[in-house]
Amino acid sequence: MTDLGGTSDAVAFEGEWHGPVVATSVHAGHGLRQEIAEAMVLEESERLREEDPYTDRIAAVVPDRVVTSRSRFEADLNRPRREAVYRKPDDCWGLEVWRDGVLSDELFEGSLATYDAFYDALAPRLDALAERGPFVLLDVHSYNHRRDGADGPPAPAVDNPEVNVGTGSLDHDLFGPLVERFTADLRDASVGCGPLDARENVAFEGRNLAWWVHDRYPRVGCVLALEFKKTFMDEWSGEVDEDRLEAVRKGLAAALPGLHDELERLR
């Protein structure tokens, strides 16, 4: 693993970054810098429920990946910079996060530095990939589907696929066949694992990381924003189901060769 000097506790990189497929899991982190932790009154269990635990383990089936350890409650790396720091309840699902009700300007600026460190570190890595031709970034997230409580019914599967493939901002004229191949491979048990209920843009279309990549690398960068339904864990207790998590990992790994095939055709 390589890191970046003073930002090493916020962002690091695994792999050689020679190939055209890379991965992120920007909401997997749970860490907070000390001054943010001291200002926070949100219960840790509530914070964990809105984070994406274990998505770093899903993303790890891709050898070249970004590792981020900080919580989205310090800096949300998948929101535009102006919205990246949750300062008041309206910014984060009505949750009371800060001891004084609103985050101070000083702590706000420190959190923006965490945000900037991520994008400043990622840019040269992706610049080098883009020079070699089209690439795919798998932006791995997870989402809750039992909002009515630990004992409440799950949200209807018709509106909540096991894998939501977000492609709202990508160039569909160019990358449409790649998206179709990838989604079909996730659904196809004969590919190597699954089938997974994978559908495109049902509940999520991808957000700032995808927007940033598609704007910076037009007709070269392709972000697939993957939202895995939290069937691999108990979203209320945080306990992981290792068998289900491994099935998800295998399903994603089985779809990677198809991405390489489609990228080779584009080259």
Side-chain angles (χ1 to χ4, degrees), residues 31 40 90 98 108 114 151 159 167 193 226 233 242 247:
M40 187 174 290
D90 286 348
W98 309 113
F108 172 73
T114 298
D151 298 322
D159 299 318
T167 64
C193 189
L226 307 181
M233 64 175 288
E242 292 288 353

Side-chain angles (χ1 to χ4, degrees), residues 11 14 18 49 68 70 86 93 98 104-105 116 136 149 151 153 163 175 179 207 215 225 231 248 252:
V11 57
E14 289 193 347
H18 293 156
R49 189 158 56 247
T68 47
R70 300 289 182 84
Y86 308 155
W93 315 284
W98 309 113
S104 71
D105 290 343
D116 291 340
V136 167
D151 298 322
V163 190
F175 293 113
V179 174
R207 209 168 179 211
D215 182 63
T231 55
V248 169
L252 180 57

Side-chain angles (χ1 to χ4, degrees), residues 186-247:
L186 288 177
R187 292 196 296 252
D188 187 353
S190 70
V191 169
C193 189
L196 296 173
D197 171 23
R199 286 174 272 157
E200 189 177 354
N201 298 329
V202 176
F204 307 94
E205 296 187 352
R207 209 168 179 211
N208 190 70
L209 181 55
W211 300 344
W212 180 81
V213 169
H214 294 150
D215 182 63
R216 187 178 179 94
Y217 311 103
R219 298 187 64 79
V220 176
C222 173
V223 176
L224 303 180
L226 307 181
E227 292 274 358
F228 289 88
K229 185 161 61 174
K230 289 182 181 177
T231 55
F232 57 85
M233 64 175 288
D234 184 322
E235 65 192 56
W236 286 90
S237 71
E239 183 177 355
V240 65
D241 182 327
E242 292 288 353
D243 290 340
R244 283 182 176 268
L245 180 62
E246 186 58 24

Side-chain angles (χ1 to χ4, degrees), residues 56-63 65 138 248-250 252-253 256:
D56 53 339
R57 292 175 59 183
I58 298 172
V61 303
V62 180
R65 66 189 183 102
L138 298 177
V248 169
R249 283 170 39 84
K250 288 181 177 178
L252 180 57
L256 297 181

Side-chain angles (χ1 to χ4, degrees), residues 107-202:
L107 293 181
F108 172 73
E109 292 297 331
S111 292
L112 282 182
T114 298
Y115 181 92
D116 291 340
F118 170 77
Y119 282 96
D120 289 347
L122 182 59
R125 295 278 180 153
L126 294 185
D127 288 350
L129 280 186
E131 289 177 0
R132 303 183 193 116
F135 67 87
V136 167
L137 187 152
L138 298 177
D139 179 26
V140 180
H141 298 266
S142 63
Y143 74 97
N144 295 322
H145 68 120
R146 307 190 72 97
R147 289 288 186 182
D148 291 335
D151 298 322
V158 65
D159 299 318
N160 295 271
E162 191 167 1
V163 190
N164 184 102
V165 182
T167 64
S169 62
L170 65 72
D171 186 333
H172 283 83
D173 289 340
L174 181 63
F175 293 113
L178 179 150
V179 174
E180 291 177 8
R181 167 77 179 274
F182 176 75
T183 306
D185 284 353
L186 288 177
R187 292 196 296 252
D188 187 353
S190 70
V191 169
C193 189
L196 296 173
D197 171 23
R199 286 174 272 157
E200 189 177 354
N201 298 329
V202 176

Side-chain angles (χ1 to χ4, degrees), residues 54-110:
Y54 312 112
T55 52
D56 53 339
R57 292 175 59 183
I58 298 172
V61 303
V62 180
D64 298 331
R65 66 189 183 102
V66 188
V67 179
T68 47
S69 60
R70 300 289 182 84
S71 171
R72 67 188 302 175
F73 285 86
E74 178 172 330
D76 191 329
L77 303 176
N78 202 35
R79 288 191 181 185
R81 191 177 188 272
R82 66 184 181 277
E83 303 172 13
V85 181
Y86 308 155
R87 301 197 72 175
K88 56 188 185 302
D90 286 348
D91 296 335
C92 52
W93 315 284
L95 295 173
E96 295 287 347
V97 178
W98 309 113
R99 189 173 310 281
D100 297 323
V102 177
L103 188 66
S104 71
D105 290 343
E106 180 181 0
L107 293 181
F108 172 73
E109 292 297 331

